[in-house]
Amino acid sequence: MGGFSYKDVYVEDGKRVLEVNILPEKYCNFDCIFCPIGRSENKVDTQKAFDEYESSLIELAKMIENTKAELIFINSKGEAFVNDKIGEIIDFIKGKGLHVRLLSNGYLLGRDEYIKIANKCDEVVGEIKVITEEDFRKVQRPIEGYTLEEYISNMVSFNKQYKGKFIFEITIIKGYNDDEESIQKIKNIIKEISPNKIIITRMEDERFKKKLGITDERFEEISNVLLNIS
Ligand code: SF4
């Protein structure tokens, strides 16, 4: 089974946003312990063909028309780059005069073939969730050989050449990156990446909130620091 799936349209900054998932099931190069989608049975970082591409595009055109969407957010079950038609899908949406936002965990933004694809988008979202190599391996369980250092440098080099809006999403996780030393490290990473927009978030999923969630007070404190870097 192939096919795309959708979330209900919502309005953000006056624009109607349609979120589309272009993967039939989870495909990711990470296997985070707190992934809202579940385990990564298919840990991959190379592209693959999925069924029902033609009919999915027809359906996407209908969805765009019916919802009057203005911004299409490619927010997939895992890493959207893995769909070998992602470039064509972005071209199809851009051909309709619409804006495209692409969510990636950011690791693959260091590879030429994916840089080309991401450069077609008006907005790209990259993420960070932990701050040490050990936690990266233990908690995000990426494909063997991946390092946090490379993860960050991939986003840094990508954004140096990117002309669109780079959005950097930082998830604060209790016990992993909510202490002062980690916040300082995150500040330095933000400076290096130099994103156009920063989003600070925390564990909201009920399954992980108790163990990994931070208090409202601490969240506000950290947000204030990270959103006001001079
Ligand atoms: S990077 Fe995102 S989609 Fe991939 S395993 Fe981690 S939380 Fe899940």
Side-chain angles (χ1 to χ4, degrees):
M1 268 291 285
F4 301 168
S5 54
Y6 300 87
K7 285 193 187 156
D8 287 341
V9 166
Y10 55 89
V11 177
E12 185 193 292
D13 297 332
K15 273 200 182 121
R16 294 176 67 78
V17 183
L18 175 64
E19 286 194 31
V20 54
N21 155 36
I22 62 168
L23 298 172
E25 59 203 346
K26 186 181 176 190
Y27 286 87
C28 196
N29 46 353
F30 295 179
D31 182 17
C32 303
I33 57 167
F34 39 67
C35 181
I37 314 161
R39 291 296 309 269
S40 300
E41 303 298 339
N42 314 292
K43 219 166 8 175
V44 282
D45 61 5
T46 49
Q47 290 193 315
K48 130 177 196 62
F50 294 101
D51 296 340
E52 299 173 30
Y53 169 62
E54 300 293 336
S55 57
S56 295
L57 271 197
I58 295 170
E59 189 193 48
L60 174 60
K62 273 193 201 138
M63 285 297 290
I64 290 173
E65 208 180 303
N66 293 343
T67 59
K68 299 190 173 47
E70 296 161 292
L71 190 155
I72 309 302
F73 182 9
I74 302 175
N75 178 2
S76 294
K77 283 183 185 167
E79 181 51 77
F81 282 132
V82 166
N83 185 322
D84 72 344
K85 297 289 190 304
I86 183 169
E88 283 99 317
I89 296 166
I90 294 166
D91 290 342
F92 178 79
I93 301 165
K94 295 292 299 170
K96 294 186 171 297
L98 304 178
H99 275 234
V100 178
R101 176 186 295 159
L102 172 69
L103 174 71
S104 166
N105 59 35
Y107 204 98
L108 298 179
L109 291 173
R111 295 197 191 163
D112 287 347
E113 65 271 35
Y114 298 125
I115 294 170
K116 269 192 208 130
I117 293 167
N119 280 345
K120 292 171 185 272
C121 301
D122 303 274
E123 302 177 15
V124 171
V125 187
E127 308 175 325
I128 199 158
K129 291 190 162 91
V130 294
I131 208 70
T132 68
E133 294 286 354
E134 195 193 342
D135 288 343
F136 181 52
R137 276 195 310 276
K138 219 173 68 191
V139 177
Q140 298 205 265
R141 302 183 295 196
I143 285 178
E144 185 117 19
Y146 278 26
T147 64
L148 182 69
E149 192 187 353
E150 192 179 8
Y151 187 9
I152 294 161
S153 78
N154 286 348
M155 287 189 273
V156 172
S157 60
F158 172 75
N159 200 29
K160 280 212 170 99
Q161 58 82 56
Y162 182 49
K163 305 269 186 299
K165 180 175 176 180
F166 188 74
I167 302 166
F168 188 41
E169 187 174 301
I170 302 146
T171 308
I172 305 297
I173 305 175
K174 187 161 91 184
Y176 288 95
N177 62 7
D178 61 335
D179 59 294
E180 290 312 317
E181 198 190 326
S182 300
I183 302 304
Q184 191 54 49
K185 276 193 191 171
I186 296 173
K187 266 169 90 170
N188 294 338
I189 293 167
I190 292 174
K191 282 185 188 159
E192 261 193 284
I193 294 181
S194 185
N196 302 84
K197 184 177 172 181
I198 299 166
I199 297 174
I200 315 290
T201 180
R202 58 180 161 169
M203 277 297 149
E204 303 283 8
D205 193 310
E206 288 305 329
R207 288 167 294 175
F208 310 110
K209 209 171 161 177
K210 209 169 156 211
K211 201 168 167 238
L212 303 171
I214 56 167
T215 63
D216 293 348
E217 208 183 7
R218 186 68 183 134
F219 182 64
E220 207 174 307
E221 254 172 37
I222 294 174
S223 299
N224 275 337
V225 173
L226 296 180
L227 295 174
N228 294 300
I229 299 174
S230 51

